[in-house]
Amino acid sequence: MGKSAKSSLELSGTRAVPPEGIAEAVARFEDFLRRRGFKVTRTRLWIAERVLKFPGHFSAADLWGALRDHRVSMATIYQTLELMEQAGLLRRCAFRGIGARYESCLGREHHGHLVCRRCGNIVEFDDGKVEALLVKIAGAHGFRLEETVIQGIGLCAECRRTEGERWVPR
Amino acid sequence: MGKSAKSSLELSGTRAVPPEGIAEAVARFEDFLRRRGFKVTRTRLWIAERVLKFPGHFSAADLWGALRDHRVSMATIYQTLELMEQAGLLRRCAFRGIGARYESCLGREHHGHLVCRRCGNIVEFDDGKVEALLVKIAGAHGFRLEETVIQGIGLCAECRRTEGERWVPR
DNA sequence: CTACATGCAAAGGGTTTGCACGGGG
DNA sequence: CCCCGTGCAAACCCTTTGCATGTAG
């Protein structure tokens, strides 16, 4: 599942971000780096720019592949993804069975994911109300909420029909 | 963080399950195994019983440690955890940074987790309303919802005060 | 008796680290 | 110039797999 689904993580509701949006976000990233005392390197900017161009979810390996002309190492990829996450430009999502996936925060309000456990596809949904509830709950527990993970695991419409053949291919 | 937090995954809202509840659940597991054509082995019953005794979250390694007298292998642990999950007696939870954690479904209605990204502690909260919303959303997308993941990541009350020392210890 | 379950050890995949070189401030 | 950032490869952790033996049905 993991392997074949890797490149088929299609989403509903993804949208490309216009170039000016990307440029602005990269500038924000530079800003973040300087303010934190990190160096602004060409590698980091390559990565940031490429990350922001992904319309949907991507893996570290996807990003590495998309940057192969620049011969960026995985170590650097992961380090920079972490920085971008701290800068608030990126979200990391963990889905069952597959490795971490990332998504740019650009042009994406908070949303949840419906993950099909059979075909691996991910459908995004608007979760304004869900998140509002979470904020209230977190507050009641003295928690400062920084990030929410809202997922529904199950079968997508398509897989519901062809289901029952096997539950896990082992 | 992972290592030192591993044994401090204390929860609010955990509760031990009375023996009769455990016995009944083990019986349900046996039933599940037979109906699916799996064999009812003593190893599987040891594991099931021990799993159901955990009051909170535990890792595969925790379970292995708790069963060391029985010399159960990790391979079997993982296989049986998967079976228990299919039997609906167990939930697997993925939290950022640490490996998978499991929790028995016994005596636990659906709930969400507030995870402190600093100390690793997990606070459970009742998420009846959140889940109801998710069910509606999933339905609207043609999804059959089988499981929900509802997490808030942030700082717990305690860490909010002592925060700002380091954001990541590396 | 037969096929599935088990323990052991070894492999696997994604992520992180150690090291010496290169480049930003 | 000095130190951080980088690529490379090796290490790492958790989880899964292959194989010979054990055991439920």
Side-chain angles (χ1 to χ4, degrees):
Chain A
M1 179 177 86
K3 278 179 198 72
S4 52
K6 177 173 293 185
S7 46
S8 66
L9 287 175
E10 308 303 340
L11 308 176
S12 74
T14 60
R15 40 179 157 158
V17 173
E20 64 273 18
I22 293 184
E24 188 199 323
V26 171
R28 269 210 288 155
F29 186 48
E30 281 194 47
D31 224 53
F32 165 87
L33 291 176
R34 269 190 268 271
R35 266 193 300 219
R36 293 264 206 167
F38 295 114
K39 292 185 175 169
V40 177
T41 67
R42 123 187 25 180
T43 305
R44 283 178 174 160
L45 298 182
W46 285 337
I47 295 177
E49 192 166 322
R50 194 60 195 78
V51 159
L52 294 163
K53 279 186 189 161
F54 276 99
H57 297 84
F58 60 92
S59 64
D62 291 338
L63 182 55
W64 180 82
L67 289 168
R68 61 190 169 293
D69 331 2
H70 294 310
R71 323 210 103 263
V72 178
S73 76
M74 270 300 191
T76 306
I77 297 262
Y78 279 109
Q79 205 245 42
T80 307
L81 286 174
E82 164 107 32
L83 289 174
M84 292 192 69
E85 209 186 347
Q86 285 171 31
L89 293 169
L90 191 68
R91 261 191 299 274
R92 187 190 310 224
C93 318
F95 301 117
R96 172 76 177 276
I98 62 184
R101 290 293 179 275
Y102 301 84
E103 60 180 9
S104 141
C105 296
L106 273 200
R108 304 159 153 277
E109 297 315 309
H110 247 93
H111 58 267
H113 295 120
L114 295 174
V115 186
C116 178
R117 65 164 166 76
R118 194 152 171 278
C119 67
N121 277 2
I122 301 170
V123 174
E124 296 186 351
F125 61 85
D126 174 36
D127 73 350
K129 283 183 202 163
V130 178
E131 186 161 339
L133 259 172
L134 262 187
V135 168
K136 210 158 53 174
I137 292 168
H141 285 265
F143 233 82
R144 179 166 75 208
L145 198 62
E146 297 176 344
E147 182 192 341
T148 59
V149 178
I150 298 169
Q151 294 177 20
I153 320 290
L155 284 180
C156 69
E158 174 134 1
C159 287
R160 288 175 67 176
R161 290 197 318 259
T162 46
E163 158 207 33
E165 296 161 5
R166 286 301 283 120
W167 40 273
V168 56
R170 294 226 68 146
Chain B
M1 182 176 84
K3 278 179 197 71
S4 53
K6 177 172 292 184
S7 46
S8 66
L9 286 174
E10 307 304 340
L11 307 175
S12 76
T14 60
R15 40 178 158 158
V17 174
E20 64 273 18
I22 293 185
E24 189 199 322
V26 171
R28 269 211 287 155
F29 186 48
E30 282 194 47
D31 224 54
F32 164 87
L33 291 175
R34 270 190 267 269
R35 266 193 300 217
R36 293 263 207 170
F38 294 114
K39 291 184 175 169
V40 177
T41 67
R42 121 187 30 180
T43 306
R44 284 178 174 160
L45 298 183
W46 285 336
I47 295 177
E49 192 166 324
R50 193 59 195 79
V51 158
L52 295 164
K53 279 186 191 161
F54 277 99
H57 296 85
F58 59 93
S59 64
D62 292 337
L63 181 56
W64 181 82
L67 289 168
R68 61 191 170 292
D69 332 1
H70 293 310
R71 322 210 104 264
V72 178
S73 75
M74 271 299 192
T76 306
I77 297 264
Y78 280 109
Q79 205 244 43
T80 307
L81 286 174
E82 162 106 34
L83 289 175
M84 290 190 70
E85 209 186 346
Q86 284 171 33
L89 294 170
L90 191 69
R91 262 191 297 275
R92 184 188 315 220
C93 318
F95 301 118
R96 172 76 177 276
I98 61 184
R101 290 292 178 277
Y102 302 83
E103 59 180 11
S104 141
C105 296
L106 273 201
R108 307 159 152 276
E109 298 315 308
H110 246 95
H111 58 267
H113 295 120
L114 295 175
V115 186
C116 178
R117 64 164 166 76
R118 192 153 172 278
C119 67
N121 276 2
I122 302 170
V123 175
E124 298 186 351
F125 62 86
D126 174 34
D127 74 349
K129 283 184 201 162
V130 179
E131 186 161 339
L133 258 173
L134 263 186
V135 168
K136 209 158 57 177
I137 292 168
H141 284 267
F143 233 83
R144 178 166 78 209
L145 198 61
E146 298 176 344
E147 183 191 342
T148 60
V149 178
I150 298 170
Q151 294 177 18
I153 320 290
L155 285 180
C156 69
E158 174 135 358
C159 287
R160 288 175 67 175
R161 290 198 318 260
T162 46
E163 160 206 30
E165 297 161 5
R166 286 298 282 123
W167 39 274
V168 56
R170 293 225 67 143

